[in-house]
């Protein structure tokens, strides 16, 4: 997710509060929001994969793997 996409998301959000969005702009906004959510999820998964947790029994579990099992 680059800065241009985030800027465009913000532009569409501001415009939706004012004069409103056209049908194409609403579709673009929905698509950009989905891309943004996917990017955040990928980032979070990457961070969780880097974290190991020591359980009470002393075993070490990767947090990303633990979350995926649920």
């Amino acid at each position: 997710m680059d800065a241009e996409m985030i800027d465009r998301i913000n532009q569409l959000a501001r415009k939706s509060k004012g004069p409103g969005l056209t049908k194409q702009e609403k579709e673009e906004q929905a698509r950009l929001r989905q891309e943004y959510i996917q990017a955040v999820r990928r980032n979070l998964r990457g961070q969780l994969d880097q974290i190991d947790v020591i359980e009470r029994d002393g075993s070490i579990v990767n947090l990303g793997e633990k979350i995926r099992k649920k």
Side-chain angles (χ1 to χ4, degrees):
M1 178 71 35
D2 61 356
E4 284 181 24
M5 291 179 80
I6 293 172
D7 289 341
R8 183 64 179 153
I9 290 170
N10 290 333
Q11 287 173 353
L12 291 170
R14 282 190 295 274
K15 187 174 179 185
S16 71
K17 292 177 184 176
L21 299 175
T22 65
K23 183 179 178 182
Q24 289 110 355
E25 288 172 331
K26 286 180 184 180
E27 291 170 358
E28 179 186 9
Q29 183 182 42
R31 181 182 52 80
L32 288 172
R33 284 181 175 173
Q34 286 302 315
E35 288 180 29
Y36 180 78
I37 290 168
Q38 290 172 356
V40 169
R41 286 179 178 162
R42 277 192 307 270
N43 187 5
L44 179 59
R45 284 186 191 115
Q47 290 178 12
L48 291 176
D49 287 340
Q50 300 298 316
I51 299 171
D52 291 330
V53 176
I54 300 175
E55 299 288 338
R56 291 184 180 182
D57 64 359
S59 63
I60 298 175
V61 178
N62 182 277
L63 195 54
E65 291 174 9
K66 184 176 180 178
I67 299 282
R68 275 188 229 113
K69 288 181 183 178
K70 290 185 179 181

